[in-house]
Amino acid sequence: MSAATRTLPSGRGSRLAGTGVLLRFMLRRDRVRLPAWVLGMTVMMAYFANAIGTLMDGENLAGLAGFAANPIMALIGGPGYGFDEITVPRFLAGMYGAYLMLGAAFMSFTTVSRHTRVEEQTGRAELVRANVTGRHAPLTAALILTVGMNLAMSLLMGLVLIGSAVDPAPEPAPSFLFALSIGAAGLVFAGVAAVTVQLSPFSRAASSMAGGVLGVAFVVRGLGDMSAVQGGNLDWLSWLSPLGWSQQTAPFTLDRWWPLLLSAGLAAGLMATGYALQARRDLGAGLLADRPGAAYAAAWLRGPVSLAFRLQRSALIGWSMGMLLAGATFGAFVQPMREGAEEMPEEIVALMGGADGIVEGYLGFMGLYFAMMVAAYAIISLQGLRSEEQGMRAEPVLATGVSRPAWLLSWTGVTAAGAVLLLGLAGIGEGLGAALSTGDWGLMAPTVLGHLAHAPAVWLLLGLAVFLYGAFPRLLGAVWAVFVYGVFMSLFGQMLDTPEAVLNTSPFQHIGQYPAEDLSWVAIGGFAGVFVLLSALGTAAFRRRDLSTA
């Protein structure tokens, strides 16, 4: 009897046999990743709370509340409960809670996919299932691990809030309510991943579907909150999003616990659906059957560029539809934004170019907003190249006449072109929405240009990802830290009176929000040049390192 066999319990007939052993294996495997996620999210909460509590006095905080009381900031942060009598905890929950929820959701669905679909895709799950292991044991262990991560994160966040440098000190009950609302969003998307990993045989597709659900939830929630701030009749949209449910708890203001029951119920229902779907598929397969391939490759599918496009095609189609639809939806808010300018705080109207320039200010900001979304697409796409290598699908390609530089640069080029396409579609959709809502078709061209102009900022992050992949593949995930930092500085740095020199460290800060601001062609050319340089360095490093499946 092998050592591996002796470690697993008896009871082959049980669908949960071996869950405890697999959970210990997962904890051992994630001994670095788990504390990095949990402590990283907690440190982010501690930074937000202490930075605002230390730097902001009553007058500055009231100014921030006035700045946040507008439709754009409702899209970014949420409904802003309690901003009429602002406190540091209320501002923290109203402005930064949404982004902590996004982090918890991303942590959750990547963890479930990592320990379920990735294991099947690489063949390791088949070896484990050949032992005394139940059908549902891997999924159960992965969900237990993910639930534990969210509970630990929520507990630490609550403790950090209670002990933060905030005057007056946050009370324990609303502090833990806020923390648990973040964890509840993570649990919902653990359930989403439990379903998506059953649908596709590929981890990248499963994670992309879960990420797509997260994107839709964020946009739907944003549209509802924008409408609520404007006094519109679409505020009910916020209740269609699990992120909206967490925000509707309104910690430090209304202190409603019952919306968490909606999140818990949906999470439980999704997890149960995941189990039911898993019972109806074969190991290594997905419920969405792959179409049989052609006997011969198409004439255009003859080189590394066409191969990279073929592998990215599905994701690019999904993102394209999402960008076009989201652009048209946000563009439709231009006219209500113009009509509501008189009711907005004077500081906000001035910041967006005055009453006469508020439309251009809104469209310019949305170009920056979509650039951040497309940057996430570019990073995810490059991480797909790492998956190709780890899944041992790169070796057969590189064993042919395809060189390593051609393979890497083809993927990079398709991703860079895809980023331009997505920004263009977002601009077209928003331009159409703005023109239809206002009747001013002269907004179309400036809107599209303003969105496209941010492509070099996206390329800069893509270039960094290419460099890390080529030189330090295990550190590829570090590009997300740069992305989050850049987003935070561009969205919130000015509100926190961050020095200009620090603000300028964000890659999204330099190009300009056209048509409200002039474009910086120096920044556009400089970012494009840095992208080329980083890609060249990453390609040179990739030529000299070994392929890895770890």
Side-chain angles (χ1 to χ4, degrees):
M1 181 181 293
S2 67
T5 303
R6 290 196 302 272
T7 61
L8 290 171
S10 61
R12 183 179 295 272
S14 172
R15 295 186 176 185
L16 299 180
T19 299
V21 175
L22 287 177
L23 179 59
R24 292 197 296 272
F25 286 166
M26 293 176 186
L27 288 170
R28 174 70 175 80
R29 184 183 176 193
D30 281 1
R31 62 190 182 279
V32 174
R33 183 179 181 275
L34 188 154
W37 264 112
V38 173
L39 295 179
M41 293 288 293
T42 304
V43 168
M44 190 176 298
M45 172 72 85
Y47 171 77
F48 288 156
N50 288 283
I52 299 173
T54 302
L55 299 177
M56 296 291 110
D57 56 22
E59 182 178 352
N60 291 335
L61 197 60
L64 287 179
F67 179 84
N70 70 90
I72 289 182
M73 300 312 293
L75 167 66
I76 293 174
Y81 284 113
F83 278 19
D84 51 344
E85 298 180 6
I86 193 67
T87 64
V88 171
R90 288 177 178 178
F91 187 78
L92 174 65
M95 283 307 303
Y96 302 114
Y99 292 90
L100 293 170
M101 293 170 197
L102 290 177
F106 189 82
M107 173 188 75
S108 296
F109 72 70
T110 55
T111 299
V112 174
S113 178
R114 169 183 171 85
H115 291 293
T116 55
R117 180 51 71 181
V118 170
E119 295 298 287
E120 293 187 39
Q121 186 175 326
T122 58
R124 292 189 291 264
E126 187 173 358
L127 297 176
V128 172
R129 287 286 301 278
N131 215 308
V132 185
T133 307
R135 173 187 287 271
H136 296 319
L139 178 59
T140 302
L143 289 175
I144 292 174
L145 174 65
T146 307
V147 170
M149 292 173 69
N150 280 281
L151 290 178
M153 177 190 68
S154 299
L155 174 63
L156 291 175
M157 282 185 170
L159 294 174
V160 160
L161 273 177
I162 295 172
S164 60
V166 175
D167 186 23
E171 297 180 1
S175 297
F176 282 108
L177 173 60
F178 180 36
L180 286 172
S181 70
I182 297 170
L187 292 183
V188 169
F189 283 90
V192 170
V195 173
T196 61
V197 295
Q198 315 305 330
L199 301 180
S200 172
F202 301 106
S203 61
R204 185 171 61 197
S207 296
S208 295
M209 285 187 281
V213 174
L214 176 60
V216 171
F218 187 82
V219 170
V220 169
R221 190 277 316 159
L223 292 174
D225 291 341
M226 285 180 69
S227 180
V229 170
Q230 290 179 320
N233 55 4
L234 295 178
D235 54 335
W236 54 270
L237 286 173
S238 299
W239 290 95
L240 300 182
S241 168
L243 300 179
W245 299 342
S246 290
Q247 290 187 323
Q248 293 297 330
T249 58
F252 309 107
T253 304
L254 301 178
D255 293 333
R256 298 187 294 203
W257 288 84
W258 64 265
L260 296 184
L261 297 177
L262 299 176
S263 298
L266 179 59
L270 288 169
M271 292 176 187
T273 302
Y275 283 117
L277 295 177
Q278 187 179 57
R280 288 165 173 77
R281 68 173 181 87
D282 293 330
L283 182 67
L287 290 174
L288 301 178
D290 294 333
R291 293 179 300 174
Y296 299 96
W300 61 271
L301 192 59
R302 298 293 185 182
V305 175
S306 57
L307 175 62
F309 171 73
R310 177 64 181 83
L311 293 175
Q312 298 184 48
R313 184 176 64 182
S314 298
L316 194 56
I317 291 174
W319 276 83
S320 296
M321 295 173 61
M323 290 294 103
L324 187 61
L325 180 60
T329 304
F330 289 128
F333 275 84
V334 168
Q335 185 61 25
M337 184 78 63
R338 173 185 286 172
E339 294 173 352
E342 296 181 357
E343 301 176 3
M344 293 184 189
E346 294 181 2
E347 316 87 65
I348 302 302
V349 176
L351 185 64
M352 296 180 64
D356 294 334
I358 196 167
V359 170
E360 289 75 12
Y362 173 72
L363 294 174
F365 171 80
M366 290 309 302
L368 175 67
Y369 186 78
F370 277 110
M372 296 173 183
M373 297 175 65
V374 174
Y377 155 80
I379 297 172
I380 293 171
S381 177
L382 204 284
Q383 285 183 317
L385 195 62
R386 176 70 169 154
S387 298
E388 292 294 305
E389 181 180 350
Q390 291 179 315
M392 295 181 289
R393 294 182 294 276
E395 288 188 34
V397 176
L398 296 176
T400 65
V402 177
S403 66
R404 287 193 176 201
W407 187 69
L408 176 55
L409 292 177
S410 296
W411 192 282
T412 303
V414 171
T415 301
V420 175
L421 172 65
L422 295 179
L423 286 171
L425 290 174
I428 291 171
E430 190 158 10
L432 285 172
L436 291 172
S437 66
T438 63
D440 183 3
W441 288 91
L443 295 173
M444 186 73 182
T447 301
V448 175
L449 177 59
H451 285 60
L452 288 173
H454 289 283
V458 177
W459 292 347
L460 181 65
L461 290 172
L462 174 61
L464 177 60
V466 173
F467 171 73
L468 291 175
Y469 170 72
F472 310 103
R474 292 180 180 273
L475 299 180
L476 179 57
V479 72
W480 284 109
V482 179
F483 168 77
V484 171
Y485 173 82
V487 170
F488 174 77
M489 283 298 165
S490 293
L491 294 181
F492 305 115
Q494 188 174 1
M495 292 168 39
L496 296 176
D497 292 330
T498 305
E500 191 70 21
V502 178
L503 285 176
N504 287 336
T505 58
S506 169
F508 302 107
Q509 196 69 18
H510 300 272
I511 289 176
Q513 298 179 23
Y514 187 82
E517 302 173 0
D518 292 334
L519 294 176
S520 173
W521 296 102
V522 173
I524 291 174
F527 282 0
V530 174
F531 163 65
V532 172
L533 176 62
L534 289 173
S535 298
L537 293 174
T539 302
F542 180 61
R543 293 181 63 183
R544 289 169 173 79
R545 73 168 176 84
D546 294 332
L547 295 180
S548 172
T549 58

